Amino acid sequence: MARRNQDDWTEIALRALAEGGLQAVAIEPLAARAGATKGSVYHHFPNREALLKATVERWEREHTEKVIELVESGRTPREKLRTLFTVVLDQTRKGSVEMALQAGAGNEVIAPVLQRVTEKRIGYLTELFGQLGFGEAQARKRALIAFSLYLGQAQMWTTLPGLVEPVLDEAVQVLTQRSDQAAVAHNA
């Protein structure tokens, strides 16, 4: 039997969360799924809440902080925005941890992490739209629209896969177009 560490258990819990939602993150079924004993999990985590907390904090690092680091390698704000959408949609296809966490937003372990992640993501998007020349209020509105679009597309991947990718370029174009550009395009 292989020895598992904390990272192994949070990875197993993330997969369970994506496949079965919050209720799937339970010690006994996770241990059985991994071919391990409950004691193996309890060696690293005193209880389910500790495992869940470590799991959502891992998700926060991998799906927010590391994504922002990757996106920052883009040259222009528009490239960064397109990369951001491409990366997050690719991650959404790999499992629906995001939707499971959104569904579990009332959980006392998930709520503060989800709040922190949402604020960080919207803040980052606001910065990108600001770099594109939008004023602070308009940049924040565009950030909220972009984040809402992401959540909608993440939901669509779980219920209507295949309908999301074709709109990626158009979504970036619409979100980055300034009203003065729209007026010129409309009158042309």
Side-chain angles (χ1 to χ4, degrees), residues 6-77:
Q6 285 184 336
D7 282 344
D8 295 331
W9 286 116
T10 57
E11 177 63 31
I12 292 166
L14 277 171
R15 276 185 271 146
L17 188 62
E19 294 168 9
L22 185 57
Q23 67 276 5
V25 181
I27 302 291
E28 195 166 332
L30 289 178
R33 174 185 190 149
T37 65
K38 294 185 298 186
S40 176
V41 182
Y42 285 122
H43 176 74
H44 299 288
F45 303 99
N47 53 42
R48 176 185 185 261
E49 287 71 29
L51 171 60
L52 185 58
K53 185 174 190 294
T55 300
V56 296
E57 287 174 350
R58 176 183 178 155
W59 168 80
E60 177 179 17
R61 285 188 309 276
E62 292 178 357
H63 294 263
T64 300
E65 294 166 10
K66 285 185 180 180
V67 169
I68 290 172
E69 287 174 20
L70 172 70
V71 169
E72 277 301 303
S73 66
R75 292 186 303 270
T76 68

Side-chain angles (χ1 to χ4, degrees), residues 130-150:
Q131 291 171 16
L132 285 166
F134 292 99
E136 189 176 326
Q138 191 61 29
R140 173 111 176 131
K141 286 179 186 176
R142 299 260 173 162
L144 290 169
I145 292 168
F147 189 67
S148 298
L149 177 64
Y150 159 68

